[in-house]
Amino acid sequence: MDSLAPAFAHVTEWVFDLDNTLYPASADLFSQIDSRMTQWIADYLNVDRDEAFRVQKALYREHGTTLRGLIERHNVDADDFLAFVHDIDYSPLTPDLALGKAIEALPGRRFIFTNGDRPHAERTARALGILDHFDDIFDIVAADMAPKPGQAPYDAFLAAHGVHPRKAAMFEDMARNLTVPKALGMVTVLVEAPQQPKFKQDWENEKGGEIDFVTSDLRAFLTQLAAAL
C-alpha cells in the first residue's frame, strides 16, 4: 500500500458514497430499501409487485434513481417516498471501530455523498459508529433531487462545501458514479463486493476508464492508506 500513497498524498477532501460502500453489501441492507421501493410503487400505481419491480428498475436506469423517475413521470411527493423506503431494520449493521479509526486518520475533511436522504445516512453511519468522523452529509435533498451519476449533484456538492476536485478522492460501489469524479480530477476508488448483490442489475457493473483503484475491503484499504500517508 505504500506504493499507493503518492496517488493520495495531495488529497485533503475524502468523499464517500453510503450504501454498500461504507458498509459491505453482504449486510444486505439495501435489499430492504429495494423491496420497499417496489412496494411503494405497487401501492402508488395500483399494480402487482412484478409490474412495480419492472417500473422501478426502468425508472432507475433511465433517470439515475427510481425517485427521480417518479418525480418526472408521476410528480410524486419525494418526502413521502424517502420516508417509506428508508423505514428499514438497521440491526444488520454493527459498530466498525477499525473503519472509524481509519476514516478519522485521513488528513483533511470527510464527507458522505449519497443518493439517499440525510436521516438514512445518519442512522446508517451511527449504527456503524462512524457518524462523528464526518464533517457533513450531502444527500439527495441537498442535490435538489438530482442524483448521481449526473453532473449536477457533483457540481452542487463541490460548490456547497468549497471542495476542489483535484484535492479530492471519491469512494463508490458503482463504477458509473465515478465517471464524473474522474473527469473532474478526483482520485477514484471502486468498492466492489466479492459477489454481486442480488438487488444489482448486470448493467450496473459495467466499467470504463473511471476507476483508479479497486478494493473489496474498504476497512483494510483505508487502514493501510492512512498508515502510509
Side-chain angles (χ1 to χ4, degrees):
M1 185 65 70
D2 287 348
S3 63
L4 297 182
F8 293 89
H10 65 291
V11 174
T12 58
E13 313 282 3
W14 306 87
V15 189
F16 295 85
D17 175 53
L18 178 72
D19 291 305
N20 305 312
T21 298
L22 286 173
Y23 63 86
S26 59
D28 213 22
L29 202 69
F30 198 80
S31 65
Q32 295 184 59
I33 298 171
D34 194 58
S35 178
R36 289 187 68 79
M37 282 194 281
T38 302
Q39 188 60 53
W40 194 96
I41 292 170
D43 294 342
Y44 187 83
L45 298 181
N46 193 28
V47 296
D48 63 30
R49 282 185 63 91
D50 287 344
E51 174 62 12
F53 183 81
R54 186 197 67 76
V55 170
Q56 174 189 342
K57 297 306 179 182
L59 292 175
Y60 171 44
R61 184 165 191 174
E62 293 170 18
H63 297 273
T65 61
T66 300
L67 173 57
R68 182 71 174 185
L70 287 168
I71 291 171
E72 294 188 2
R73 296 280 189 90
H74 301 284
N75 195 31
V76 305
D77 184 306
D79 291 337
D80 178 70
F81 177 87
L82 290 167
F84 183 88
V85 303
H86 292 131
D87 184 13
I88 62 172
D89 174 18
Y90 290 87
S91 66
L93 302 179
T94 56
D96 190 336
L97 299 181
L99 176 62
K101 183 178 179 181
I103 291 172
E104 185 179 25
L106 296 172
R109 297 188 296 171
R110 304 158 220 117
F111 300 95
I112 294 173
F113 180 4
T114 176
N115 276 347
D117 65 8
R118 177 181 285 268
H120 168 60
E122 290 177 344
R123 290 192 295 269
T124 301
R126 187 176 294 111
L128 291 167
I130 62 175
L131 180 59
D132 292 342
H133 300 313
F134 289 95
D135 291 86
D136 206 352
I137 296 168
F138 189 84
D139 73 343
I140 194 68
V141 178
D144 197 26
M145 301 301 166
K148 298 178 283 183
Q151 179 85 37
Y154 298 94
D155 291 342
F157 165 73
L158 297 174
H161 294 289
V163 171
H164 193 297
R166 295 194 177 276
K167 295 182 179 180
M170 181 89 189
F171 297 77
E172 260 280 356
D173 73 301
M174 294 183 60
R176 69 179 192 149
N177 289 351
L178 291 172
T179 300
V180 171
K182 178 65 175 178
L184 289 169
M186 296 185 189
V187 181
T188 57
V189 182
L190 180 67
V191 182
E192 195 169 55
Q195 294 182 328
Q196 177 170 309
K198 60 186 178 182
F199 54 80
K200 272 197 172 184
Q201 307 294 296
D202 289 339
W203 58 267
E204 293 183 74
N205 293 322
E206 296 173 359
K207 303 180 184 69
E210 64 275 5
I211 302 166
D212 292 316
F213 300 99
V214 178
T215 181
S216 61
D217 189 336
L218 179 65
R219 182 197 305 115
F221 187 93
L222 293 180
T223 298
Q224 295 172 12
L225 177 58
L229 291 175

